[in-house]
Amino acid sequence: MSDELDRIRREMHAVLQQPGVRPDDSLKLTRRTFIHRSLLFGAVSVGQTFAWWPLLNTIDVAHAAEAPFKFAWISDTHLYERSLNTRFVDKVVRAVQEVQAMDPPADFLIFGGDLAQLGKIEELELGVELLKDLSIKKYYIPGEHDWYLDMGKKWGELFGQPNWTFDHKGVRFIGLDTVSRGPDYWTVKKMTPEERMGHMATLDGTVAGAWAGVGRDQLDWMQKTLADWDKSKPIVIFSHNPLYEYYPPWNFWVRDWREVNEVLKPYTKVTNIHGHVHQVLYNEIGSMRSIGMLATSWPWPYAPEGVPKLTKPMIRVDPGDHFDGVGWETVNVNADDRVDVEYIMWGRKEVFVQSDPDSSLSQPEKLRPRMADNMWPY
Ligand SMILES: [Fe+2]
Ligand SMILES: [Fe+2]
């Protein structure tokens, strides 16, 4: 397995990290670490409860939009039935209330997968019920937790086709299904649906294997969908798993990232927004940038090998506070060629003051580099 991973990494590096290839040059990448909004407005008193808008990290990426707009993202709610656990319910309620309160309102919401924890009908229906309070248009892509109990039956009944596309104010949006094409590890072992689901619900899924992928049919669909789209116009692709190799043992990737890259290569303004990793994450490969989003449920640790260089890591400061290290996001598409992702991270209180506002890439960051970055430096 490690030889295979090694081979894949070398290949990925050779294919994707070619000299000079980066997301569109007009896309200025700046990252600003904000202190709390109330600090920005100069209204902080010691002991104040910061329950609202803890903007921790803004990543500006960029695109031309016909008119400025913003949309919201919620994912990885991992709902249990109410009778078992209401902790995750509370956080969905909070996220929904906050999105609903956005002013100006979000144009739409993307739900990025893992609505349910064990794929149960009751869990999925609970999710629908909680999100019903949100009056804006909602689009859903599936996560593995939604899928592998009944192989997407209930999810399909509730939300329809898992991959879709639409245009909005000069941006083409694509939702991908990266979860449904896992290899069949259950039939030969005569697993029950619950056993199958159980293997999908672990992070280190050695039994389930490399289940995350886009699939040839969906790649063809994506290519067709993009055929009439101007190469220099913005594309935003939503996927549950990241569309690059971050950490395969946890399926923090799609196994057919090469093919995805082939399809997207001609386009210069591609942003991939993904869930599954439950953490602040940022990476660029070729002309595509990928942004990892927070869960409302819990934060996963960073991969043992470290994170892509451009990631500014998020940590859970207080493991006992289940609102810490989680939250949701707004995405602002500005007329001045930028897309800003704002992490709305809850529970940060005073401790999230990490660096000066408006720090930029020119300031060296001390991150533990990934093994792959060390072996094949840029
Ligand atoms: Fe998740
Ligand atoms: Fe997931």
Side-chain angles (χ1 to χ4, degrees), residues 11-308:
E11 188 182 344
M12 185 175 98
H13 186 78
V15 171
L16 300 178
Q17 307 295 4
Q18 290 166 10
V21 179
R22 289 206 56 196
D24 191 275
D25 244 13
S26 68
L27 318 183
K28 277 177 285 173
L29 171 69
T30 61
R31 284 180 296 168
R32 295 173 303 210
T33 302
F34 280 101
I35 49 182
H36 193 278
R37 175 167 289 201
S38 50
L39 285 177
L40 297 176
F41 286 95
V44 174
S45 62
V46 177
Q48 181 178 348
T49 304
F50 298 138
W52 199 248
W53 308 117
L55 295 183
L56 183 76
N57 197 331
T58 295
I59 298 172
D60 301 339
V61 288
H63 291 317
E66 283 170 7
F69 65 97
K70 61 174 73 180
F71 61 93
W73 165 286
I74 299 175
S75 78
D76 296 279
T77 51
H78 291 269
L79 289 163
Y80 289 91
E81 292 167 59
R82 270 186 215 270
S83 55
L84 283 175
N85 178 335
T86 56
R87 170 186 287 191
F88 296 157
V89 173
D90 296 344
K91 293 194 273 193
V92 179
V93 169
R94 176 169 174 175
V96 164
Q97 283 172 354
E98 291 180 358
V99 173
Q100 185 69 23
M102 281 171 65
D103 183 20
D107 280 17
F108 51 85
L109 173 88
I110 303 296
F111 189 89
D114 286 350
L115 181 61
Q117 170 63 6
L118 298 170
K120 293 183 175 177
I121 288 173
E122 297 79 5
E123 296 170 350
L124 290 164
E125 286 182 343
L126 174 59
V128 170
E129 181 197 320
L130 297 173
L131 287 160
K132 210 180 274 167
D133 289 340
L134 202 47
S135 52
I136 52 175
K137 174 104 180 111
K138 296 177 277 266
Y139 298 89
Y140 295 79
I141 53 172
E144 75 281 11
H145 287 254
D146 305 321
W147 201 267
Y148 279 83
L149 186 65
D150 64 2
M151 302 309 287
K153 184 166 175 290
K154 183 66 185 175
W155 196 95
E157 283 168 26
L158 290 170
F159 307 119
Q161 183 69 19
N163 57 321
W164 37 258
T165 181
F166 64 90
D167 296 347
H168 186 75
K169 298 180 181 170
V171 180
R172 178 151 293 179
F173 291 94
I174 295 177
L176 288 182
D177 158 20
T178 55
V179 302
S180 74
R181 290 160 177 82
D184 180 351
Y185 58 88
W186 52 88
T187 305
V188 70
K189 291 181 179 155
K190 297 191 170 50
M191 287 181 188
T192 64
E194 288 76 17
E195 285 168 337
R196 176 178 60 208
M197 182 66 239
H199 287 294
M200 297 306 291
T202 61
L203 182 59
D204 208 350
T206 43
V207 175
W211 53 260
V214 176
R216 189 67 254 170
D217 59 319
Q218 201 174 197
L219 284 160
D220 292 344
W221 170 82
M222 191 161 76
Q223 189 146 31
K224 227 166 73 193
T225 295
L226 289 172
D228 67 343
W229 195 244
D230 192 297
K231 305 279 185 292
S232 62
K233 285 176 76 178
I235 300 165
V236 178
I237 303 185
F238 304 107
S239 54
H240 185 64
N241 304 74
L243 297 178
Y244 66 99
E245 178 252 61
Y246 163 31
Y247 194 60
W250 296 348
N251 276 283
F252 284 9
W253 76 333
V254 288
R255 60 178 185 267
D256 43 5
W257 54 263
R258 301 172 198 77
E259 288 85 348
V260 173
N261 184 255
E262 274 307 308
V263 172
L264 296 174
K265 216 164 27 183
Y267 302 89
T268 59
K269 293 179 178 171
V270 183
T271 300
N272 165 223
I273 295 180
H274 66 84
H276 188 60
V277 297
H278 299 204
Q279 58 193 217
V280 171
L281 195 66
Y282 184 86
N283 193 33
E284 296 174 354
I285 56 170
S287 61
M288 177 182 76
R289 48 176 41 93
S290 285
I291 304 173
M293 299 302 227
L294 298 173
T296 58
S297 53
W298 66 79
W300 282 128
Y302 282 106
E305 289 184 5
V307 296

